[in-house]
Amino acid sequence: MIQWWQILLLTLYAAYQILDELGPYTSAGQAVFAGLISGLVMGDVTTGLFIGGSMQLMVLGVGTFGGASRIDANSGTVLATAFAVALKWNPEQALTAIGVPVAALLVYTDILGRFANTFWVHRIDGRIEEFDYAGIHRDFLLGALSWALSRALPVFLALTFGQGIVEKIVGLLQGDLSWLAQGLTVAGGALPAVGFAILLRYLPVKRHIAYLLLGFVIAALLGTVFTSIVTLGAGVSAVNKDFAGSFNNLSMLTIAIIGLALSILYYKGNQAARLAVAATADSNEEVEDDEL
């Protein structure tokens, strides 16, 4: 059961995360961060990071242009993590049955929050005509209220009154609808791949296909090598008790550094080619001037 103080903390975070996304932008408004906070509050960081990371990957290629609304992956992560931990639910099923639908539905509260914010904008217009600078500052800060409520209110209501409904859904998925639960589990595992597919749709893949293939091969190769080393170490430690057999898994930082090195090489090569073209053009202009 979700405790009252957990509902309070998660509601406060839901209100803050959208303000962070609009203002300081410390990444506290990202889905993976929402999973970390929700996991800490609910006492299961692993589940929180799994749901938050999966949701983050799913929205990896989803962007907004201008004032467009997008799905609220953060609130979906908060609710999916809270119910998954409280009801000891499969995180992948919670992600697809709670996280994704909530994220999609809260697009409407995002629109409502944006619409309500125009009230404060018109008040500020009136304050400007009256040269009321204190009122301008006050109404500007109050404009954050509609944004915060657009996230905090749905999260609070769902955590307070939705636990019974979600508990019945979990009971059905673990009983007569177990076939549906298996489908939700498979869909939950495939969601990060959907996010990558959307991202690749917008990236210039054809122009940089060599780097894409190289990155995939390096990641797969290093993963295979390190997994084999760990397996070999475990076998040796089973034969020789004095062998510690302690190996660390491959750090994602290593792959990120390799990617950064390739990016630097590409950037320098591209700049050198542009300078060469510019130098050739200048040389041709000088020749034409001499001929004239």
Side-chain angles (χ1 to χ4, degrees):
M1 183 177 180
I2 305 175
Q3 303 297 320
W4 67 268
W5 60 269
Q6 291 172 322
I7 295 175
L8 178 62
L9 289 177
L10 293 177
T11 301
L12 290 175
Y13 170 72
Y16 172 74
Q17 54 93 7
I18 183 61
L19 299 181
D20 181 86
E21 194 170 335
L22 296 172
Y25 205 80
T26 62
S27 296
Q30 297 296 319
V32 67
F33 200 92
L36 173 63
I37 295 297
S38 304
L40 286 172
V41 172
M42 297 303 299
D44 190 345
V45 176
T46 303
T47 298
L49 285 177
F50 176 82
I51 294 175
S54 299
M55 192 69 83
Q56 184 76 58
L57 291 173
M58 189 191 76
V59 299
L60 200 61
V62 178
T64 56
F65 304 95
S69 295
R70 61 176 173 81
I71 64 171
D72 186 3
N74 300 340
S75 299
T77 299
V78 170
L79 293 179
T81 302
F83 287 125
V85 176
L87 302 177
K88 302 186 185 309
W89 196 7
N90 185 329
E92 292 172 339
Q93 294 178 15
L95 174 66
T96 48
I98 298 294
V100 176
V102 167
L105 285 174
L106 290 195
V107 170
Y108 297 102
T109 59
D110 179 80
I111 296 171
L112 187 61
R114 291 170 186 267
F115 180 75
N117 197 40
T118 57
F119 169 76
W120 302 107
V121 174
H122 288 303
R123 279 178 63 94
I124 291 174
D125 289 340
R127 304 291 186 192
I128 292 174
E129 294 177 356
E130 299 169 0
F131 297 100
D132 183 3
Y133 297 108
I136 293 171
H137 290 174
R138 184 174 58 253
D139 289 341
F140 176 77
L141 294 176
L142 287 174
L145 190 62
S146 57
W147 284 103
L149 288 176
S150 68
R151 269 66 176 179
L153 199 57
V155 168
F156 174 76
L157 293 175
L159 292 175
T160 305
F161 303 106
Q163 190 169 351
I165 299 174
V166 175
E167 200 168 359
K168 290 180 181 177
I169 295 174
V170 174
L172 288 173
L173 291 175
Q174 293 176 347
D176 298 335
L177 299 180
S178 59
W179 57 272
L180 180 59
Q182 293 176 358
L184 291 174
T185 302
V186 174
L191 283 178
V194 174
F196 273 110
I198 296 173
L199 180 63
L200 291 176
R201 176 68 178 80
Y202 291 102
L203 291 179
V205 175
K206 292 182 180 177
R207 192 169 58 182
H208 303 298
I209 186 66
Y211 290 97
L212 178 65
L213 295 175
L214 190 60
F216 176 78
V217 170
I218 289 175
L221 184 63
L222 292 179
T224 303
V225 169
F226 274 76
T227 302
S228 300
I229 292 174
V230 171
T231 304
L232 180 62
V236 173
S237 63
V239 176
N240 186 0
K241 301 299 181 185
D242 296 330
F243 185 75
S246 177
F247 296 95
N248 294 325
N249 290 328
L250 176 64
S251 170
M252 287 302 295
L253 181 62
T254 306
I255 299 177
I257 291 174
I258 294 174
L260 177 62
L262 292 174
S263 301
I264 293 173
L265 290 175
Y266 173 78
Y267 175 76
K268 287 187 174 181
N270 196 29
Q271 289 297 105
R274 288 184 179 181
L275 290 175
V277 171
T280 304
D282 292 340
S283 176
N284 292 334
E285 289 179 359
E286 289 178 359
V287 171
E288 291 177 357
D289 292 340
D290 292 341
E291 290 175 350
L292 291 174

